[in-house]
Amino acid sequence: MLARAKVIDDVIESRLWDKIIVGYLVLLSTWLWEDPKSIRIFLEAGGIGVLVEPISQTSGIDVLVQGLCAFLFAICYHFNREPGEITRKTLHPIITRLGGDQLISRMARARDDDRFRHINPDSIILPVPPSAVIASKVVEGEVWLDWGFVEFWKANYYTVQRGINADPDAVASGPGDTTELQLVISSLRDVVRKQADELQAAKAEATEAKKQHQLFAAKQVAGDDLQKKLDALQVERDKERETLQKQIQDLSAQLSELQEKKKEQEKEQEDLLVFLEEVSEKRRRDKATMRTAGLEVSEDEGGDEDDE
């Protein structure tokens, strides 16, 4: 239950796992209280390793999870009265190795945690730290513990604390009112189930948020590729435009040259027409002078004069 196959880098997922573990520890603490038979089954099923590992960690463990593990381990030691493979004498060397004061310190740190201290009869909803806000959505609060378990802890804390340092052969003392405790246990079980459902829903929401983020990232990559293609196409179009502009400039220069030559040809034609007109005028004058002098004018010359 408490072991993780890999280190969870995602703060949100790590926090959700811690909440689930806290829910199970709360359930087991109330369930195994004053129940030696269930404690024997739990211990023989591997419960010792499940609890000892987080208790002995010096870092990378939630203080609330660690304190609840120490609390549950103390309960198992205090009420382990059934004969079996794992007895109080079996557990006592483990307590000696971990240190009774160390176990009490773990529980004290959990008791002093804000998620424990701020629980009251009127409110069990706590504000969510900024680092645990899911996918940048506003979350009003979260639930770690309920008031019933906090009262249960406070009522039995010193009993458990004394039991840790008790001799393995000492007789365990009970809380007094078993009927009332059973009601508390029933209430806590309902709360734990509700919390488990809420945690499952939050985990599903976090998974969906991750999928949306991955989809957005994929779209972003596709957009970047498209932008690169557009940029390359723009560069190609710019080169083509520069080539066309160069061709237009060359053609414009050729056109200007042709227009200049045409003007020169037109000027030459105008000069030629003027020259021909002057020649024709001089010829007419010569013919008139010849007639006046009584000279004969050739038919061609006369024809030319008539035409003129």
Side-chain angles (χ1 to χ4, degrees), residues 112-125:
D112 295 334
D113 190 88
D114 290 341
R115 290 166 293 177
F116 187 99
R117 292 191 304 110
H118 292 171
I119 300 299
N120 59 73
D122 299 325
S123 176
I124 61 173
I125 300 176

Side-chain angles (χ1 to χ4, degrees), residues 63-64 107-121 123-127 144-147 149-150 153-154:
V63 296
L64 192 57
M107 289 189 286
R109 290 181 61 192
R111 181 191 58 191
D112 295 334
D113 190 88
D114 290 341
R115 290 166 293 177
F116 187 99
R117 292 191 304 110
H118 292 171
I119 300 299
N120 59 73
S123 176
I124 61 173
I125 300 176
L126 304 176
W144 285 83
L145 302 170
D146 73 310
W147 177 244
F149 178 75
V150 172
W153 173 292
K154 292 179 178 179

Side-chain angles (χ1 to χ4, degrees), residues 23 25 83 102 147 167 180 183 195-196 225 239 242 251 289 301 307:
L25 291 172
Q102 187 76 347
W147 177 244
D167 186 87
E180 182 179 355
L183 294 176
Q195 289 179 352
D225 292 340
K239 291 181 179 180
E242 291 176 359
L251 292 173
T289 302
E301 292 174 347
D307 291 339

Side-chain angles (χ1 to χ4, degrees), residues 197-217:
D197 293 339
E198 292 176 352
L199 292 175
Q200 188 65 28
K203 184 178 180 181
E205 185 177 356
T207 302
E208 181 64 24
K210 286 183 179 179
K211 291 181 180 178
Q212 293 296 329
H213 177 72
Q214 293 173 353
L215 180 61
F216 174 78

Side-chain angles (χ1 to χ4, degrees), residues 81-98:
R81 300 297 175 180
E82 283 276 332
E85 296 178 1
I86 302 175
T87 63
R88 284 168 57 88
K89 290 184 178 181
T90 307
L91 298 178
H92 191 264
I94 299 176
I95 295 177
T96 302
R97 177 170 56 85
L98 294 174

Side-chain angles (χ1 to χ4, degrees), residues 7 36 48-50 65 92 97 102 112 119 121 125 128 142 160 168 171 175 183 194 210 213 223 237 247 266 272:
V7 177
I48 296 178
V50 171
V65 172
H92 191 264
R97 177 170 56 85
Q102 187 76 347
D112 295 334
I119 300 299
I125 300 176
V128 182
E142 59 182 359
V160 172
V171 179
L183 294 176
K194 183 178 179 180
K210 286 183 179 179
H213 177 72
R237 292 294 179 268
Q247 293 177 354
E266 290 177 349
L272 182 59

